[in-house]
Amino acid sequence: QQPVQSPQAVILREGEDAVINCSSSKALYSVHWYRQKHGEAPVFLMILLKGGEQKGHEKISASFNEKKQQSSLYLTASQLSYSGTYFCGTSYNQGGKLIFGQGTELSVKP
Amino acid sequence: GAVVSQHPSWVICKSGTSVKIECRSLDFQATTMFWYRQFPKQSLMLMATSNEGSKATYEQGVEKDKFLINHASLTLSTLTVTSAHPEDSSFYICSARAGPAGLVTGELFFGEGSRLTVL
């Protein structure tokens, strides 16, 4: 039931864009996105509920395609502070537990 | 945003001893708390779900007698690693969900994590 993230790792130059995908084999109720720096707890980015919505947060946005059971996280004009491991977490029903993908390691270089 | 406090941040113990980790929601009532474990460079693996006043629900493969979870109040859940061994060394993170709004969105608030090292 663990969602699958791709790519596993990506290296960017400052100012470049990136897309991280999260796919599920089961119908999703919600998708959560987190960023984790080494040795720290995950930091919440955003939640998307089923309904095909898209959300934005400064230069980070995400979409949720209910039909395809997948979500994508878009990072535009990346900054050095965007470096970290990005996790998507998925739940399959309201009030359900959150299962995390294997993570995508993002490195932004100057 | 809501704050979840975890204590201790790190702990070193000898093999065979027990360690207790506390997870507190500071400014909201957490109807449900989740405990995750994370090994280096790996994902967060859900260990168990605890609801206030009831027994925790453990994920497959997690030994409930080894990882004792108690959710005694709406603001406190504890994880006790009993008879710890070096292979239990890991980063343990709790998260809490505020109800009833949290039940709809599923939003989780994470603690800072506790790094356990068993010698």
Side-chain angles (χ1 to χ4, degrees):
Chain A
Q1 290 188 1
Q2 183 181 32
V4 177
Q5 285 184 236
S6 62
Q8 288 189 338
V10 59
I11 300 174
L12 298 174
R13 289 285 180 195
E14 214 173 349
E16 291 181 338
D17 302 340
V19 179
I20 300 172
N21 298 304
C22 176
S23 297
S24 170
S25 58
K26 283 179 62 174
L28 294 169
Y29 173 76
S30 67
V31 179
H32 305 219
W33 286 98
Y34 290 83
R35 176 172 60 216
Q36 185 180 32
K37 303 271 186 180
H38 180 68
E40 299 177 9
V43 171
F44 172 75
L45 294 177
M46 63 190 79
I47 292 176
L48 300 101
L49 302 179
K50 69 175 184 178
E53 64 178 283
Q54 183 152 354
K55 277 193 173 181
H57 175 67
E58 295 183 347
K59 294 177 183 173
I60 300 175
S61 62
S63 63
F64 182 10
N65 188 318
E66 196 179 335
K67 269 188 178 179
K68 293 185 178 180
Q69 296 163 185
Q70 68 181 37
S71 175
S72 295
L73 184 72
Y74 306 95
L75 303 157
T76 58
S78 60
Q79 305 168 13
L80 295 176
S81 61
Y82 286 5
S83 293
T85 302
Y86 289 77
F87 291 99
C88 70
T90 54
S91 69
Y92 303 102
N93 50 58
Q94 186 180 83
K97 57 192 177 185
L98 199 63
I99 305 297
F100 285 91
Q102 77 275 29
T104 295
E105 190 170 356
L106 181 81
S107 298
V108 181
K109 308 285 186 189
Chain B
V3 178
V4 174
S5 176
Q6 210 174 317
H7 178 81
S9 302
W10 58 270
V11 55
I12 301 172
C13 70
K14 289 183 178 179
S15 188
T17 60
S18 294
V19 174
K20 181 185 282 189
I21 300 170
E22 292 186 348
C23 178
R24 293 181 186 273
S25 56
L26 298 186
D27 51 2
F28 68 99
Q29 293 187 328
T31 51
T32 306
M33 286 187 173
F34 302 89
W35 286 93
Y36 290 86
R37 179 170 55 182
Q38 186 178 35
F39 293 108
K41 293 192 175 294
Q42 293 189 22
S43 183
L44 294 91
M45 300 304 297
L46 181 64
M47 297 175 68
T49 303
S50 76
N51 292 294
E52 185 264 339
S54 59
K55 285 185 179 179
T57 303
Y58 290 81
E59 293 298 301
Q60 195 171 9
V62 178
E63 299 174 59
K64 59 183 178 184
D65 293 331
K66 180 168 184 61
F67 299 99
L68 301 178
I69 291 172
N70 184 278
H71 194 158
S73 75
L74 284 171
T75 58
L76 173 66
S77 176
T78 60
L79 166 68
T80 302
V81 183
T82 62
S83 187
H85 291 284
E87 57 265 30
D88 298 324
S89 298
S90 187
F91 192 47
Y92 292 87
I93 311 174
C94 72
S95 64
R97 172 180 294 157
L103 201 63
V104 176
T105 65
E107 184 171 2
L108 293 183
F109 301 99
F110 279 85
E112 310 95 325
S114 299
R115 190 163 301 283
L116 171 65
T117 302
V118 185
L119 302 176

